[in-house]
Amino acid sequence: MSVLTAEPAAPPRPAPSRFAEWCLARWVSLGAPTVGRRVPGTMVVAVAALVVGIVAVIVTTSTGLNIAYADSQSHLTISRRLFDSKAPGFTQLGTVWLPVPSLILVPFVQNLWLWHTGLAAGLLGLVCLMGTACGVYRVAARIGLGRSGRIAGVLLIIANPSILYIYTTALTEPVLILCMMGCFAGLAHWVTSKRNLSAGEMMVFTGLPAAGATLSRYEGWVLVVGGTLVVLIASWRRKKEWRYAVKMSFAFAALPALAIAWWLAYNSAVYNNPLEFLNGQYSASNLQKATADAGLLAYTHNAGLTLWTYNWSVLETAGLLTVVLGIAGAVVVAWRWGLSNTALLVWVMGVAYGFSLLSLYLGQTHMNNDHSLPENWWNSRYALAVIPWLAVLAAAFVDSLSRVPTIGRGLLALVGLALVLQSAWWVTDPERSSVIAEADGYVQLKSASGATDAAAFLRDHYDGGQVLMDESAAGSALLPQIGIPLVDYYNRSTGELFDEAIASPATHAKWVFVSTADAPELSETGVADLVYDAVKKQPSFQTAYRVVFEEGDYRIYERIWS
Amino acid sequence: MSAFSRSALRVLAATGVSALLVAAPLAGAATATAATAIAATATAGARSATVQAVDVPGSLAAPAVDEIADDGVPVFVNVQVPVGLSPTTATATLTPLVPAAPGSTGVVLVTVRGEVRQSVDPTAPAAISIPLTGDDVVNGQVSIGYTYQPAAASTPDAAAVCLPPATASVSLSETAVSTEGQATAPTTLADFFSPALAAVSVTIPDAASNSVRQAGLAAVGALAHAYPAPVELSLTTVSDAAHAVAVDAAQGRVVTFAPADATAADAPVTTALSTDAAGVPVLTISGPEAALPAAGAALASDYLALAGASSTTGLSQTGTSSNGDTATLSPTFRDLGAGAQIALAAAGQPDAVVNVSQSAFGGPIGDASVHIVGMHSAVPDSIVATMNVYWNDYLIGSEVLGGTSAFDLTLPVASTRLTAANALKVSLSTQAATGDCVPASNRIPVELFVDNGASTVTGTRGQSLDAGFQRFPQALGQTLPVAFGTSLGDQAAVASAGDIVASLQRNSTVQLAVTVPSLEEFRGSTQSGLVVGATSDDSDALKAPLRLDAFTAIDSKAVTFGVGTTLPYAAFESFDTNGRDILLLGGWSPDDQSATDPLQVQAAHYTLTNPGAWFGLTGDVLVAQSSLTDPVALSSNAIVPQTAVTSDYNSYALWAVIVIIVLILAAAIGEATRRRRRKKLAAYVDAQLEAERDRTSNGQGPTQPPASGTTAD
């Protein structure tokens, strides 16, 4: 008789918790292949970006660093004065900057506190950060990169202090980059899709964000040119039909072209000059004319110095690791995809880099950093639009590392360690980011010039009675910092009302805020304080007003009779 | 330290208060450092006068004193009296600076050898005149003390420890000591360099070789090391009287080099004393050219005091001076010139300063830590005593004294706190535990001693300063190569080099070994050093921040509008290139290059004679123009980039081309690889199909599909 004995059963594994299962599912989704329009893992990336972005917003808003840039305060002001002004209306958009960043900020600046603290821009920035991170992720996924590549690309965005800082401000870069990444993600879908997407889909998923980019910053205009070229080539390769290629190219370019046409028409209608933004009084070329005439745009027509200056800005905003991985990724993309449609998509993401170099070379842009000639901090943020491109290139390189047999995991661990070290290096001194160093410089400059105290004084002492102030004067872009409703101001944006108030301050404003800074180039470039220029010539002004604040370059007068 | 000269001269800083154990202030220290040192010594018990004085015949001038505070601490003005002269009268002018509070006017006491010779009312300008005799000369000098006694201190029961900070002050100017008699000419080499010297002129032959120039520069460097300001120094060629300092028989000396002809290459160096037509003592150093630099360097030697004859042979010093031995990365306070100990007392001297020059470390340092070892007296329970340590007036450490008497602190100094010359201050403060004032009759008996032999400042080799003048002299280590360019004439080149070497040496705690390489050798070396008489090409080759060409300076106020120059100018620059720090003196003129000679001389002279001397130089460029009274200091960043500078960056465009080529190659190789793979695959499939067809045509069935895996389709 034989006795059958069963082997002792292995102890049952504890069932994973639902949370663990949920986490595992999210992890798996980050490496899952794309399915039609769906790119698994996008929500995970969005939430991660949101969490990091909230921390950044809290840090910069609580310290006031988010409104350090004068341009940031100007953008907040433009958005609010569309509805809060003595002369509200669409023309308050002006011509200095393209309108989309100001327009989409409008819902956020309805609340005076959100506007005053700059938190309004931070909320918009959260949306932009999520969109940018998702854009990088989706492009990486569309071109066939695995989980490690996708995650690396995203981390290089959301762990970058330059990006995180700028996205908490009202500067135009976040909106531009969001629109560009939206366009690239759409293009990536079209290029890699086995299904022939329709012209309508092309128009909605690529043309619309491209149009947003064209009305955000002028880098967007070059995006349209580059994107159209890619669509033309890829369409031809797909069907070898010119008709199809032209149709798809038109579908891509129609909305951006329309947007550009609208901008020209707007300038023509409001300023009687369709190129007012290019050659008008407040155009960038006029504002930097004095600098150019003084020979301080040293990189103009000097290719070597242009590359030196801009690349240092890229390095000091993107970080060494991002640049190194990006360059390695460029070689990988060239080797792996050559000039295929996939590669063309990646290469066209570099349009911002090419545009910036060309702009510097032609002397159209003013940029300085601590390696330029002369050394200074100025407009380093122009390098930010390059970072998503570098992130995608880096993702391609990391993906290739993950495919290396045997040591692939080790190499990935090294990249991860390098990323941690770079982040720690930044955390110990955020001013290693050139855009943050520049912001800190502005904070110190405003403090030293008296601007910070002047704004605080007016905020604390204003008890109604209207303010006469030239907020367009150099160093006087302080309206959000002051925090008084814009309807209480007579300033340049109020047009004829401003002229009337300058002619007779005492009958219009109880408070007069002036900058006494005086330099020839301020007048030449139109940023001298018009109020100060006027009142110092009016003998009656001194009898009607008394100085209640004076520090550095700033002076505040209060009308003697209330 | 030289026993015969420096100890005698540096007593200017510390005479009269034995407890004061500060290091000798670096001559002509930088404004900030000098201010620190002066402030520290003001509370310590004595101050030195730093403003240059000018003698008139029959009179010995003394430096002015900027401020004498009403703190009851004596300020001593020391006047060296040459042998053979006897003082008769001392005169000075006292001027109120900050008036005393009403009702609390004190008195300024003028003392000599502890005797009050005159009492002066400090509330109004007053002329001081006190009689002197030969007995007032002690150790070769007359020491006149000025003590501003505040009114409160004269009240016996005043709470001295709780006196309010001194507010009233006076200044002292036009101090002079009238003398009678005839100065005795030196009879030995040891006597030649008297402590009473006011000016030394070093001369070399016209059109001298590099060896003789090196000898002259070594001599002026040695003398600068031995004689702090205000002793005037110059190096000139024999025929250049214009740039030589004025010397007189009593307080002046001439050192001249007379190279022997080439046939006497093995002859020893000899020295001989004489007097010139004006009666000025002259030291003539003769010998082979190659041996003269070592003889020049020996003029700061400690052993010179042993030369007890009118003529000597074999005068020589090679390498660096004995002070060079202390150029370690961890000098003790004693090495730094602070004496054997620092003694602080609550009732007396409450603080002391140790000057810490980066040059004392034998090179630049990136960060430092201070290790202080010492003892303090027992602190009664009724007293709170605190020792504070400051680095350049920034608190780096503090300790409440009590418990054990010994203390041993290590205090790190952040790199951002480092300057070329630093002031380390140790301060003792005491107070009754109750917070009440303590009457003068019951002063707090706390004393604190720092063991200067065991206390150290440890530096880490590195660089914490931006490129510019303040990287010198420490960037030189212990050697100073001086190369001559061709933009300066012989006389101007020698005079300029002499001034710059003297200025650098006066701010280095180690004696610099001067060499004179050719410009080509210097360009090819990796050493930091000085170029005198640089041309535009030299400035290009060395990548100076201001190329010697037309330029436009940015007016800092106007931000972008500049002050341009197409007129002749001279520039003295300090910059780093390829990891070496370089000083460059040169000039540019649109037509006549010689027009820059006087400008270059002016710029060089300014480094020695401006109020802060070397440490008075700010930024990294000093520009002299005929339209300017004094040279102006600029930052090279405030100069509109010159074409020659921007052209240096052209090569970076090449890198962009290389990157593009690499990408194209990668794409081409990738494409070729893919094609080859496709071709192989196609051939494999074709072969499979061919085989399939063969099998089919031979009546065999199709091959079985593989059991697993994938196939190309």
Side-chain angles (χ1 to χ4, degrees), chain B residues 657-702:
Chain B
V657 174
I658 290 172
V659 168
I660 291 170
I661 290 172
V662 167
L663 292 177
I664 291 171
L665 278 177
I669 293 170
E671 184 62 28
T673 306
R674 282 190 292 276
R675 284 189 180 185
R676 196 162 53 242
R677 194 181 298 149
R678 280 198 295 269
K679 202 172 173 183
K680 272 187 180 176
L681 191 60
Y684 174 77
V685 171
D686 288 348
Q688 286 278 331
L689 291 173
E690 186 67 22
E692 189 68 28
R693 275 196 296 273
D694 288 348
R695 272 193 293 272
T696 306
S697 62
N698 293 336
Q700 299 170 354

Short mmCIF file of all heavy atoms in Angstrom, two decimals, chain B residues 657-702:
data_model
loop_
_atom_site.label_atom_id
_atom_site.label_comp_id
_atom_site.label_asym_id
_atom_site.label_seq_id
_atom_site.Cartn_x
_atom_site.Cartn_y
_atom_site.Cartn_z
N VAL B 657 30.11 74.01 -36.54
CA VAL B 657 30.30 73.25 -37.78
C VAL B 657 30.65 71.80 -37.46
O VAL B 657 30.14 70.86 -38.08
CB VAL B 657 31.40 73.91 -38.63
CG1 VAL B 657 31.71 73.07 -39.86
CG2 VAL B 657 30.98 75.32 -39.04
N ILE B 658 31.51 71.64 -36.46
CA ILE B 658 31.91 70.27 -36.09
C ILE B 658 30.71 69.46 -35.60
O ILE B 658 30.53 68.30 -35.96
CB ILE B 658 33.01 70.32 -35.00
CG1 ILE B 658 34.31 70.86 -35.62
CG2 ILE B 658 33.24 68.95 -34.37
CD1 ILE B 658 35.41 71.15 -34.62
N VAL B 659 29.87 70.10 -34.79
CA VAL B 659 28.68 69.40 -34.29
C VAL B 659 27.78 68.98 -35.45
O VAL B 659 27.28 67.85 -35.51
CB VAL B 659 27.91 70.30 -33.30
CG1 VAL B 659 26.53 69.72 -33.00
CG2 VAL B 659 28.70 70.46 -32.00
N ILE B 660 27.61 69.90 -36.39
CA ILE B 660 26.76 69.58 -37.55
C ILE B 660 27.36 68.42 -38.35
O ILE B 660 26.66 67.49 -38.78
CB ILE B 660 26.58 70.83 -38.44
CG1 ILE B 660 25.72 71.85 -37.68
CG2 ILE B 660 25.93 70.48 -39.77
CD1 ILE B 660 25.66 73.21 -38.33
N ILE B 661 28.68 68.46 -38.51
CA ILE B 661 29.34 67.38 -39.26
C ILE B 661 29.16 66.05 -38.53
O ILE B 661 28.89 65.01 -39.15
CB ILE B 661 30.84 67.71 -39.44
CG1 ILE B 661 30.99 68.87 -40.43
CG2 ILE B 661 31.62 66.49 -39.92
CD1 ILE B 661 32.39 69.39 -40.55
N VAL B 662 29.30 66.07 -37.22
CA VAL B 662 29.13 64.84 -36.44
C VAL B 662 27.72 64.29 -36.63
O VAL B 662 27.52 63.08 -36.83
CB VAL B 662 29.41 65.11 -34.94
CG1 VAL B 662 28.93 63.95 -34.08
CG2 VAL B 662 30.89 65.34 -34.72
N LEU B 663 26.74 65.18 -36.60
CA LEU B 663 25.36 64.73 -36.78
C LEU B 663 25.14 64.15 -38.17
O LEU B 663 24.47 63.13 -38.34
CB LEU B 663 24.39 65.89 -36.52
CG LEU B 663 24.32 66.38 -35.06
CD1 LEU B 663 23.38 67.57 -34.95
CD2 LEU B 663 23.87 65.26 -34.13
N ILE B 664 25.70 64.83 -39.16
CA ILE B 664 25.55 64.33 -40.53
C ILE B 664 26.23 62.97 -40.67
O ILE B 664 25.68 62.04 -41.28
CB ILE B 664 26.13 65.35 -41.54
CG1 ILE B 664 25.25 66.60 -41.57
CG2 ILE B 664 26.26 64.74 -42.93
CD1 ILE B 664 25.83 67.75 -42.36
N LEU B 665 27.42 62.85 -40.09
CA LEU B 665 28.12 61.56 -40.14
C LEU B 665 27.31 60.47 -39.44
O LEU B 665 27.19 59.35 -39.95
CB LEU B 665 29.48 61.69 -39.47
CG LEU B 665 30.60 62.29 -40.33
CD1 LEU B 665 31.87 62.43 -39.50
CD2 LEU B 665 30.85 61.41 -41.55
N ALA B 666 26.76 60.83 -38.28
CA ALA B 666 25.95 59.85 -37.55
C ALA B 666 24.77 59.42 -38.40
O ALA B 666 24.44 58.22 -38.47
CB ALA B 666 25.49 60.45 -36.22
N ALA B 667 24.13 60.41 -39.03
CA ALA B 667 22.98 60.08 -39.87
C ALA B 667 23.40 59.21 -41.05
O ALA B 667 22.72 58.24 -41.40
CB ALA B 667 22.32 61.37 -40.35
N ALA B 668 24.54 59.57 -41.65
CA ALA B 668 25.00 58.81 -42.83
C ALA B 668 25.36 57.38 -42.45
O ALA B 668 25.00 56.41 -43.13
CB ALA B 668 26.21 59.53 -43.44
N ILE B 669 26.09 57.26 -41.33
CA ILE B 669 26.48 55.91 -40.88
C ILE B 669 25.24 55.11 -40.51
O ILE B 669 25.12 53.92 -40.85
CB ILE B 669 27.45 56.01 -39.68
CG1 ILE B 669 28.77 56.64 -40.14
CG2 ILE B 669 27.70 54.63 -39.07
CD1 ILE B 669 29.71 57.00 -39.01
N GLY B 670 24.32 55.76 -39.84
CA GLY B 670 23.08 55.07 -39.47
C GLY B 670 22.32 54.61 -40.69
O GLY B 670 21.83 53.48 -40.75
N GLU B 671 22.25 55.49 -41.68
CA GLU B 671 21.53 55.15 -42.90
C GLU B 671 22.22 54.00 -43.64
O GLU B 671 21.56 53.07 -44.12
CB GLU B 671 21.43 56.39 -43.80
CG GLU B 671 20.62 56.20 -45.07
CD GLU B 671 19.15 55.86 -44.78
OE1 GLU B 671 18.65 56.27 -43.71
OE2 GLU B 671 18.54 55.18 -45.61
N ALA B 672 23.54 54.09 -43.69
CA ALA B 672 24.30 53.03 -44.36
C ALA B 672 24.09 51.70 -43.65
O ALA B 672 23.91 50.65 -44.29
CB ALA B 672 25.79 53.40 -44.38
N THR B 673 24.10 51.75 -42.35
CA THR B 673 23.89 50.53 -41.57
C THR B 673 22.51 49.95 -41.83
O THR B 673 22.34 48.74 -42.04
CB THR B 673 24.05 50.83 -40.06
OG1 THR B 673 25.30 51.46 -39.85
CG2 THR B 673 23.96 49.56 -39.23
N ARG B 674 21.55 50.84 -41.84
CA ARG B 674 20.17 50.37 -42.08
C ARG B 674 20.03 49.78 -43.48
O ARG B 674 19.38 48.75 -43.68
CB ARG B 674 19.18 51.52 -41.89
CG ARG B 674 18.89 51.85 -40.43
CD ARG B 674 17.74 52.82 -40.31
NE ARG B 674 18.08 54.13 -40.83
CZ ARG B 674 18.73 55.06 -40.13
NH1 ARG B 674 19.12 54.80 -38.90
NH2 ARG B 674 19.02 56.23 -40.66
N ARG B 675 20.65 50.41 -44.47
CA ARG B 675 20.56 49.89 -45.84
C ARG B 675 21.21 48.52 -45.94
O ARG B 675 20.72 47.62 -46.62
CB ARG B 675 21.24 50.88 -46.81
CG ARG B 675 20.39 52.09 -47.09
CD ARG B 675 20.96 52.93 -48.21
NE ARG B 675 20.12 54.09 -48.44
CZ ARG B 675 20.32 54.95 -49.42
NH1 ARG B 675 21.34 54.79 -50.23
NH2 ARG B 675 19.52 55.95 -49.58
N ARG B 676 22.39 48.42 -45.31
CA ARG B 676 23.10 47.14 -45.37
C ARG B 676 22.23 46.05 -44.73
O ARG B 676 22.13 44.94 -45.23
CB ARG B 676 24.43 47.27 -44.65
CG ARG B 676 25.39 46.14 -44.98
CD ARG B 676 26.84 46.47 -44.63
NE ARG B 676 27.00 46.90 -43.26
CZ ARG B 676 27.45 48.10 -42.91
NH1 ARG B 676 27.76 48.98 -43.84
NH2 ARG B 676 27.57 48.42 -41.63
N ARG B 677 21.61 46.43 -43.63
CA ARG B 677 20.77 45.46 -42.95
C ARG B 677 19.57 45.07 -43.81
O ARG B 677 19.21 43.90 -43.93
CB ARG B 677 20.29 46.03 -41.61
CG ARG B 677 19.70 44.99 -40.68
CD ARG B 677 19.21 45.61 -39.40
NE ARG B 677 20.28 46.24 -38.65
CZ ARG B 677 20.13 47.30 -37.87
NH1 ARG B 677 18.93 47.85 -37.76
NH2 ARG B 677 21.13 47.80 -37.21
N ARG B 678 19.00 46.11 -44.45
CA ARG B 678 17.85 45.82 -45.33
C ARG B 678 18.27 44.94 -46.49
O ARG B 678 17.56 44.03 -46.92
CB ARG B 678 17.25 47.13 -45.84
CG ARG B 678 16.34 47.83 -44.84
CD ARG B 678 15.44 48.85 -45.53
NE ARG B 678 16.20 49.94 -46.13
CZ ARG B 678 16.48 51.07 -45.49
NH1 ARG B 678 16.07 51.25 -44.25
NH2 ARG B 678 17.17 52.01 -46.09
N LYS B 679 19.48 45.25 -46.98
CA LYS B 679 19.97 44.48 -48.12
C LYS B 679 20.18 43.02 -47.73
O LYS B 679 19.82 42.09 -48.46
CB LYS B 679 21.30 45.09 -48.60
CG LYS B 679 21.67 44.78 -50.02
CD LYS B 679 22.89 45.61 -50.43
CE LYS B 679 23.39 45.18 -51.79
NZ LYS B 679 24.60 45.93 -52.15
N LYS B 680 20.77 42.86 -46.55
CA LYS B 680 21.00 41.50 -46.06
C LYS B 680 19.69 40.77 -45.88
O LYS B 680 19.53 39.61 -46.25
CB LYS B 680 21.73 41.55 -44.71
CG LYS B 680 23.24 41.59 -44.81
CD LYS B 680 23.83 41.46 -43.41
CE LYS B 680 25.35 41.50 -43.47
NZ LYS B 680 25.92 41.47 -42.11
N LEU B 681 18.76 41.48 -45.34
CA LEU B 681 17.45 40.88 -45.09
C LEU B 681 16.78 40.51 -46.40
O LEU B 681 16.22 39.41 -46.55
CB LEU B 681 16.58 41.88 -44.31
CG LEU B 681 15.27 41.34 -43.74
CD1 LEU B 681 15.55 40.21 -42.75
CD2 LEU B 681 14.49 42.44 -43.05
N ALA B 682 16.90 41.45 -47.37
CA ALA B 682 16.30 41.17 -48.67
C ALA B 682 16.94 39.95 -49.31
O ALA B 682 16.27 39.09 -49.89
CB ALA B 682 16.43 42.40 -49.57
N ALA B 683 18.29 39.88 -49.19
CA ALA B 683 19.00 38.74 -49.78
C ALA B 683 18.57 37.44 -49.10
O ALA B 683 18.38 36.41 -49.75
CB ALA B 683 20.51 38.94 -49.62
N TYR B 684 18.39 37.52 -47.79
CA TYR B 684 17.98 36.33 -47.05
C TYR B 684 16.58 35.88 -47.47
O TYR B 684 16.34 34.71 -47.73
CB TYR B 684 18.00 36.64 -45.55
CG TYR B 684 17.47 35.53 -44.68
CD1 TYR B 684 18.25 34.40 -44.42
CD2 TYR B 684 16.20 35.62 -44.11
CE1 TYR B 684 17.76 33.40 -43.62
CE2 TYR B 684 15.71 34.60 -43.32
CZ TYR B 684 16.49 33.48 -43.07
OH TYR B 684 16.00 32.48 -42.28
N VAL B 685 15.70 36.87 -47.60
CA VAL B 685 14.33 36.53 -48.02
C VAL B 685 14.32 35.98 -49.44
O VAL B 685 13.65 35.00 -49.74
CB VAL B 685 13.44 37.78 -47.90
CG1 VAL B 685 12.06 37.53 -48.53
CG2 VAL B 685 13.28 38.19 -46.44
N ASP B 686 15.13 36.65 -50.30
CA ASP B 686 15.20 36.16 -51.68
C ASP B 686 15.68 34.71 -51.72
O ASP B 686 15.17 33.87 -52.47
CB ASP B 686 16.15 37.05 -52.50
CG ASP B 686 15.52 38.41 -52.78
OD1 ASP B 686 14.29 38.56 -52.54
OD2 ASP B 686 16.25 39.33 -53.19
N ALA B 687 16.70 34.45 -50.90
CA ALA B 687 17.24 33.09 -50.87
C ALA B 687 16.18 32.11 -50.37
O ALA B 687 16.05 31.00 -50.89
CB ALA B 687 18.47 33.05 -49.97
N GLN B 688 15.43 32.54 -49.38
CA GLN B 688 14.36 31.69 -48.85
C GLN B 688 13.33 31.40 -49.93
O GLN B 688 12.92 30.26 -50.13
CB GLN B 688 13.69 32.40 -47.66
CG GLN B 688 14.52 32.42 -46.39
CD GLN B 688 14.40 31.13 -45.60
OE1 GLN B 688 13.38 30.45 -45.65
NE2 GLN B 688 15.47 30.76 -44.91
N LEU B 689 12.96 32.47 -50.64
CA LEU B 689 11.96 32.31 -51.69
C LEU B 689 12.48 31.41 -52.80
O LEU B 689 11.75 30.57 -53.37
CB LEU B 689 11.56 33.68 -52.24
CG LEU B 689 10.76 34.57 -51.26
CD1 LEU B 689 10.56 35.97 -51.87
CD2 LEU B 689 9.41 33.93 -50.97
N GLU B 690 13.78 31.65 -53.12
CA GLU B 690 14.39 30.84 -54.17
C GLU B 690 14.36 29.35 -53.78
O GLU B 690 14.01 28.49 -54.57
CB GLU B 690 15.82 31.31 -54.40
CG GLU B 690 16.54 30.64 -55.55
CD GLU B 690 15.94 31.01 -56.90
OE1 GLU B 690 15.28 32.07 -57.01
OE2 GLU B 690 16.11 30.22 -57.84
N ALA B 691 14.72 29.13 -52.52
CA ALA B 691 14.74 27.75 -52.03
C ALA B 691 13.33 27.16 -52.04
O ALA B 691 13.12 25.99 -52.38
CB ALA B 691 15.33 27.72 -50.62
N GLU B 692 12.40 28.01 -51.71
CA GLU B 692 11.00 27.57 -51.69
C GLU B 692 10.55 27.16 -53.09
O GLU B 692 9.91 26.13 -53.28
CB GLU B 692 10.13 28.69 -51.15
CG GLU B 692 8.70 28.33 -50.87
CD GLU B 692 8.56 27.37 -49.70
OE1 GLU B 692 9.44 27.38 -48.79
OE2 GLU B 692 7.61 26.58 -49.71
N ARG B 693 10.96 28.08 -54.03
CA ARG B 693 10.56 27.76 -55.41
C ARG B 693 11.20 26.47 -55.88
O ARG B 693 10.60 25.66 -56.55
CB ARG B 693 10.98 28.92 -56.33
CG ARG B 693 9.94 30.03 -56.36
CD ARG B 693 10.18 30.96 -57.56
NE ARG B 693 11.46 31.65 -57.45
CZ ARG B 693 11.62 32.81 -56.81
NH1 ARG B 693 10.58 33.39 -56.23
NH2 ARG B 693 12.79 33.37 -56.76
N ASP B 694 12.48 26.29 -55.48
CA ASP B 694 13.19 25.07 -55.89
C ASP B 694 12.49 23.84 -55.35
O ASP B 694 12.30 22.85 -56.06
CB ASP B 694 14.64 25.11 -55.38
CG ASP B 694 15.46 26.12 -56.15
OD1 ASP B 694 14.98 26.61 -57.21
OD2 ASP B 694 16.57 26.46 -55.67
N ARG B 695 12.14 23.93 -54.08
CA ARG B 695 11.46 22.78 -53.48
C ARG B 695 10.13 22.51 -54.18
O ARG B 695 9.76 21.38 -54.44
CB ARG B 695 11.24 23.03 -51.99
CG ARG B 695 12.42 22.59 -51.14
CD ARG B 695 12.01 22.57 -49.68
NE ARG B 695 11.75 23.91 -49.18
CZ ARG B 695 12.71 24.70 -48.68
NH1 ARG B 695 13.96 24.27 -48.62
NH2 ARG B 695 12.40 25.89 -48.26
N THR B 696 9.41 23.61 -54.47
CA THR B 696 8.11 23.45 -55.13
C THR B 696 8.29 22.83 -56.51
O THR B 696 7.56 21.92 -56.92
CB THR B 696 7.43 24.82 -55.25
OG1 THR B 696 7.37 25.41 -53.96
CG2 THR B 696 6.01 24.68 -55.79
N SER B 697 9.31 23.36 -57.22
CA SER B 697 9.52 22.82 -58.58
C SER B 697 10.00 21.38 -58.54
O SER B 697 9.79 20.62 -59.47
CB SER B 697 10.53 23.71 -59.32
OG SER B 697 11.76 23.68 -58.64
N ASN B 698 10.65 20.99 -57.42
CA ASN B 698 11.10 19.60 -57.28
C ASN B 698 10.02 18.70 -56.71
O ASN B 698 10.27 17.54 -56.40
CB ASN B 698 12.33 19.53 -56.36
CG ASN B 698 13.53 20.21 -57.02
OD1 ASN B 698 13.58 20.31 -58.24
ND2 ASN B 698 14.46 20.65 -56.19
N GLY B 699 8.84 19.22 -56.55
CA GLY B 699 7.72 18.42 -56.08
C GLY B 699 7.68 18.23 -54.58
O GLY B 699 6.93 17.42 -54.06
N GLN B 700 8.51 18.96 -53.84
CA GLN B 700 8.46 18.87 -52.39
C GLN B 700 7.44 19.86 -51.86
O GLN B 700 7.13 20.86 -52.48
CB GLN B 700 9.83 19.16 -51.80
CG GLN B 700 10.89 18.17 -52.25
CD GLN B 700 12.30 18.61 -51.85
OE1 GLN B 700 12.48 19.69 -51.34
NE2 GLN B 700 13.25 17.74 -52.15
N GLY B 701 6.93 19.60 -50.72
CA GLY B 701 5.96 20.50 -50.11
C GLY B 701 6.63 21.72 -49.54
O GLY B 701 7.86 21.80 -49.49
N PRO B 702 5.82 22.67 -49.18
CA PRO B 702 6.38 23.88 -48.56
C PRO B 702 7.01 23.55 -47.21
O PRO B 702 6.64 22.59 -46.56
CB PRO B 702 5.14 24.78 -48.37
CG PRO B 702 3.98 23.84 -48.35
CD PRO B 702 4.35 22.70 -49.21
#
